[in-house]
Amino acid sequence: MNLLAHTRLMADYNRWMNQRIYAAAARLPAAAVAQDRGAFFGSILGTLNHLMVADKIWLHRFATHPSRFAALDPLRTQPRPTDLRAVEFDTLPQWRVAREQLDAAIVDWAGELSEADLDHVLAYANTKGVVSQRRFGLLLLHFFNHQTHHRGQITTLLTQAGEDVGGTDLLELIPALPADASAL
C-alpha cells in the first residue's frame, strides 16, 4: 500500500472512529462528558475539543499547499485557531455536527490528493510562531497519528465513565482477503 492509499484509509478510519466516540459520549449526561477526569485536556469534551482544534490548525496549514485542495475551501473562510485549548462550542451536539462536517471534508480532501502532492515540502508555523518545513506526506502521517493518539485517550475516559465504544482497531476497516489471496 502506498502513502496515498494509506492516507485515504486513515481518513475513513478517522470518520468511523469519531462517529463511534461521539455516539458513546452522547449516551452520557452532559455533566459526565464535561467532568474533569484528570486527563491532559481534562474531560472527554476537553479532549474532543483539542482534536477539533488541532485538526483545524493542521488543515489550515494543508490549505496552503500549491494544489489548493477544493475540499478545504470552507476552512479558508474560517478563522484559524491559535490556541490548542480554545473552546470551539458549548454543547456536545454542536461539536458533533461540526466534527461530522470536518470529517467529511477530510475524506473529500484525501480523495483529492495525488502522489505528487505528497512530495511537496510544506512550510508552516506552529502556534508559537516557530517555522518548520517538512515533507507533506509525512505531515499527513502525523495528522492521522495525532488523532488516533487522542481518540485512545477519549476511549479510555469513556470506558471509565461506563460507556463502551466497541472495537477501535483499524483492522475492522481493512477488507479481508480470501484464503488463497497469496496467489493474487
Side-chain angles (χ1 to χ4, degrees):
M1 172 182 286
N2 64 28
L3 183 54
L4 188 57
H6 177 78
T7 298
R8 291 176 178 151
L9 175 62
M10 293 307 293
D12 289 337
Y13 175 68
N14 169 64
R15 177 166 48 187
W16 178 73
M17 276 304 305
N18 283 336
Q19 289 168 347
R20 295 175 74 94
I21 61 174
Y22 273 86
R27 293 189 294 267
L28 291 170
V33 176
Q35 177 184 339
D36 189 333
R37 298 177 181 277
F40 190 76
F41 292 98
S43 64
I44 294 166
L45 202 55
T47 309
L48 289 170
N49 181 71
H50 169 71
L51 264 177
M52 175 85 71
V53 171
D55 281 359
K56 285 183 175 183
I57 288 171
W58 276 110
L59 290 169
H60 272 277
R61 293 171 185 161
F62 296 161
T64 68
H65 190 287
S67 291
R68 299 221 19 104
F69 309 107
L72 299 182
D73 282 348
L75 240 64
R76 288 185 181 91
T77 63
Q78 297 174 12
R80 188 185 85 160
T82 57
D83 180 351
L84 288 169
R85 291 182 182 266
V87 176
E88 290 279 301
F89 303 102
D90 296 324
T91 68
L92 184 64
Q94 290 173 308
W95 257 288
R96 191 173 189 176
V97 167
R99 182 78 251 182
E100 289 170 358
Q101 291 169 346
L102 192 61
D103 288 345
I106 291 169
V107 169
D108 291 346
W109 161 70
E112 288 181 46
L113 292 167
S114 72
E115 286 288 337
D117 292 330
L118 303 179
D119 287 329
H120 175 73
V121 174
L122 187 73
Y124 64 92
N126 69 14
T127 57
K128 293 180 173 117
V130 177
V131 176
S132 294
Q133 293 186 57
R134 292 192 168 88
R135 197 154 309 281
F136 189 68
L138 297 177
L139 290 173
L140 300 183
L141 292 175
H142 166 73
F143 177 71
F144 291 114
N145 185 66
H146 179 261
Q147 294 168 343
T148 300
H149 167 71
H150 287 296
R151 277 194 305 266
Q153 293 173 334
I154 294 166
T155 58
T156 298
L157 297 173
L158 286 165
T159 299
Q160 291 170 350
E163 274 304 318
D164 181 12
V165 175
T168 62
D169 287 338
L170 177 62
L171 183 62
E172 294 195 32
L173 293 184
I174 299 172
L177 298 175
D180 63 348
S182 62
L184 297 177

